Amino acid sequence: MNSLFLAFIGVGMMAAGFALYSRFLGSKVYRLSAKYATPAHTMEDGVDFVPTNKYVLWGHHFTSVAGAAPIIGPAVAVIWGWVPAFLWVTLGTVFFAGMHDLGVLWASLRHRGQSIGTLSGRYIGARGRNLFLVIIFLLLLMVNTAFATVISKLLVSTPTAVIPTWGAIVVALLIGQAIYRFKWNLPAVSVVGVVSLYTLMVVGDRFPIVLPETVMGIPDRGVWIILLFTYAFAASLLPVWVLLQPRDYINGLQLFVGLIILYGSVLITHPDVVAPTFNDNVPEGTPGIFPLLFVTIACGAVSGFHGVVASGTSSKQLDKETDARFVGYFGAVGEGLLSLGTIIATTAGFKTLANWEEVYNEWSAGGVNAFISGGGSIINEGLGIPTSLSATILATMAILFAATTMDSGVRLQRMVVEEIGQIMGLKISALVATIIAVGVAFALTFSSGADGSGGMLIWPLFGTTNQLMAGLSMAIIAVILTHLRRPAWPVLIPLCFVVTVAMWAALLQLGTLWAGRNWLLLGIDVVIIIAAIWVVVESASAIMRARKAPAVAWSDADTDAPAPHHVG
């Protein structure tokens, strides 16, 4: 199989999904209206609620939801063969991820920018909301701690990425000032920003930065993690337009340039896919493909974390409701393209099947390093870019996306802490909530030692938790659509599938954790499963009640959608 075929088919499917299916969702299901006054205008505060150009907001949303997951997941999952990974990424992007991200963004928009956790309380009750918040808190904790660990490993293994990684913060600060304070031309600022980032990559490739093995008794990886959490703490408190939004925007452009370089190299070299179509010769210890494929590849097919971002930050910055189609659905398409590029890099970036099997010699052996190695080889052969610089470009790409997700993750964790405080009748300031959010993540990350390896302790539960979160978010959308008497089948079909495979995987994981006597993860997994089952039952009950209740009508004049009759 030639990789060019995969690229054309995959890109074509996603482009058709945005052109056709997202248009159907926007006009017939969610009924987006340019006349509706979004929370960014009605609740503008210059900190979290800020009307934003849709292209800038797309960059924020896309890079916040992308992170390293759309690279790690597919790069691991191709061990079962390239066909299953390819089908799940393409079909998942078009019919699952785009619908989910757009739907949560729309639902939050119509409810004053409220989070999906708050919406669960409104539509399925207080118990469902409380359990929802537990799942969201754990999901964000997994993301923040694991991504800090992943970034630190990459900064140590690829020291040429250090300068562009930290230099991107300076570039983002300047872009934020240029766009919002000085009102400079956006295309010109964008070009300068992208050129600056790639210039930093060239400089970083020439001048790698390596920390001492230990600094005051702390290993180099631990030092990077401390610096990352310090940065995330500050970034989560700053107004979104100062750092978070411009950083995400310029990273989004940088990624697309990186994808153009990768896909352009595929177009020139069109290497053959050496990985098996379906791999029957998997290494010993590799779990079965069903249902693990659907939780191993989450971001890039469908991901509950996207709903947390869409309702936590993106909905508060949307200028027009009709922009939700571009920001939400096309944001999912961007992530799908990254996952597709990862599949090509990790299946066609090796010379022979033997070379591929040498890397994929055990379960979960693939990952970011396989993406960097395979993708770097394709770029080097296609465009003649030196192997070292190719690796720097791809490593920086992975780091910056993980870092932007961590930025948003800490900010969202702060909002969840504030929300929990409100439920308990406590007024928790943004500063205190951020201290709690960062403190919990910091404690877990260093719980196993000064190298920060504790950040991966609860990561094994991410796949199932993330997909259960996606299913629960779709359940809320389904309840809302039922109240409005609008077509709910585009949501209900993916909802049933995702909840089934995620619950199946979570139950299988219980057996594995029990056999391995991993009591910490076993206990957390039990909590997540019970919470998810409870929310699913509550959601099903809410849908049945909604069918019997009088229809609810939404007007473009409403600044907050009328609540269903049975909910107080």
Side-chain angles (χ1 to χ4, degrees), residues 362-518:
E362 62 178 339
W363 163 241
S364 75
V368 175
N369 289 334
F371 167 72
I372 293 172
S373 175
S377 175
I378 293 174
I379 292 172
N380 172 250
E381 185 176 343
L383 300 179
I385 298 175
T387 303
S388 174
L389 180 57
S390 299
T392 299
I393 291 172
L394 294 176
T396 303
M397 183 189 300
I399 290 171
L400 290 182
F401 280 103
T404 52
T405 300
M406 186 179 167
D407 289 353
S408 297
V410 171
R411 195 180 194 95
L412 292 166
Q413 190 92 346
R414 180 254 289 177
M415 293 177 177
V416 170
V417 171
E418 290 177 299
E419 195 168 344
I420 292 173
Q422 291 174 1
I423 293 172
M424 298 173 63
L426 301 173
K427 175 69 174 178
I428 301 178
S429 69
L431 177 60
V432 172
T434 304
I435 291 173
I436 294 172
V438 173
V440 172
F442 193 86
L444 177 61
T445 305
F446 287 99
S447 62
S448 296
D451 63 348
S453 56
M456 302 303 293
L457 273 179
I458 61 175
W459 180 253
L461 298 178
F462 173 78
T464 53
T465 305
N466 191 43
Q467 299 307 69
L468 284 171
M469 182 70 210
L472 300 181
S473 297
M474 285 189 270
I476 303 302
I477 300 172
V479 174
I480 294 173
L481 292 174
T482 303
H483 276 294
L484 295 171
R485 300 297 188 268
R486 295 182 189 175
W489 62 265
V491 180
L492 288 172
I493 295 173
L495 159 64
C496 293
F497 179 81
V498 170
V499 169
T500 299
V501 296
M503 193 64 71
W504 182 7
L507 292 173
L508 287 177
Q509 198 168 38
L510 270 184
T512 302
L513 295 173
W514 178 271
R517 305 177 70 84
N518 191 331

Side-chain angles (χ1 to χ4, degrees), residues 148-157 211-213 218-228 446 450-454 456:
T149 303
V150 168
I151 294 169
S152 69
K153 287 182 179 179
L154 285 171
L155 290 174
V156 171
S157 65
L211 292 180
E213 287 191 13
I218 302 174
D220 49 3
R221 280 170 50 188
V223 174
W224 283 129
I225 290 173
I226 292 171
L227 292 174
L228 285 166
F446 287 99
D451 63 348
S453 56
M456 302 303 293

Side-chain angles (χ1 to χ4, degrees), residues 84-363:
F86 175 78
L87 291 176
W88 178 225
V89 163
T90 51
L91 296 176
T93 295
V94 173
F95 296 108
F96 289 68
M99 173 278 299
H100 168 271
D101 294 13
L102 172 56
V104 176
L105 185 56
W106 160 77
S108 179
L109 275 173
R110 286 284 175 163
H111 294 84
R112 302 172 67 244
Q114 292 176 342
S115 72
I116 191 68
T118 300
L119 293 182
S120 66
R122 183 165 186 155
Y123 284 95
I124 64 175
R127 286 174 303 191
R129 175 200 60 199
N130 296 342
L131 294 169
F132 222 101
L133 287 175
V134 169
I135 296 175
I136 293 173
F137 186 89
L138 290 172
L139 183 64
L140 290 170
L141 184 60
M142 293 173 195
V143 169
N144 293 337
T145 55
F147 280 17
T149 303
V150 168
I151 294 169
S152 69
K153 287 182 179 179
L154 285 171
L155 290 174
V156 171
S157 65
T158 316
T160 54
V162 172
I163 287 179
T165 295
W166 294 99
I169 297 173
V170 178
V171 173
L173 288 168
L174 294 175
I175 286 176
Q177 296 297 314
I179 294 175
Y180 287 100
R181 189 176 297 277
F182 300 112
K183 311 294 183 183
W184 288 356
N185 180 269
L186 180 61
V189 171
S190 302
V191 170
V192 172
V194 171
V195 170
S196 298
L197 277 183
Y198 277 89
T199 300
L200 286 170
M201 292 180 199
V202 174
V203 173
D205 189 56
R206 292 281 303 275
F207 303 100
I209 293 179
V210 180
L211 292 180
E213 287 191 13
T214 59
V215 178
M216 295 186 292
I218 302 174
D220 49 3
R221 280 170 50 188
V223 174
W224 283 129
I225 290 173
I226 292 171
L227 292 174
L228 285 166
F229 275 123
T230 302
Y231 158 74
F233 179 91
S236 69
L237 291 171
L238 289 172
V240 289
W241 66 268
V242 172
L243 178 57
L244 184 70
Q245 198 184 84
R247 174 178 166 86
D248 292 352
Y249 170 63
I250 203 63
N251 281 344
L253 293 180
Q254 177 265 141
L255 170 71
F256 256 75
V257 172
L259 286 177
I260 290 171
I261 291 173
L262 178 60
Y263 281 105
S265 299
V266 171
L267 184 62
I268 294 170
T269 61
H270 45 83
D272 288 330
V273 174
V274 300
T277 305
F278 294 93
N279 191 9
D280 297 324
N281 188 32
V282 294
E284 185 178 352
T286 302
I289 186 171
F290 293 105
L292 267 296
L293 171 70
F294 304 102
V295 297
T296 301
I297 300 179
C299 299
V302 63
S303 167
F305 180 72
H306 293 199
V308 180
V309 174
S311 64
T313 59
S314 301
S315 64
K316 298 173 175 60
Q317 302 171 58
L318 210 70
D319 184 38
K320 298 177 182 177
E321 187 178 56
T322 47
D323 291 347
R325 180 170 160 253
F326 183 81
V327 173
Y329 195 99
F330 193 63
V333 168
E335 188 171 55
L337 291 173
L338 176 57
S339 290
L340 176 61
T342 299
I343 292 172
I344 293 172
T346 54
T347 58
F350 301 91
K351 296 296 183 183
T352 65
L353 175 59
N355 294 144
W356 183 84
E357 290 178 335
E358 197 174 313
V359 173
Y360 285 85
N361 57 4
E362 62 178 339
W363 163 241

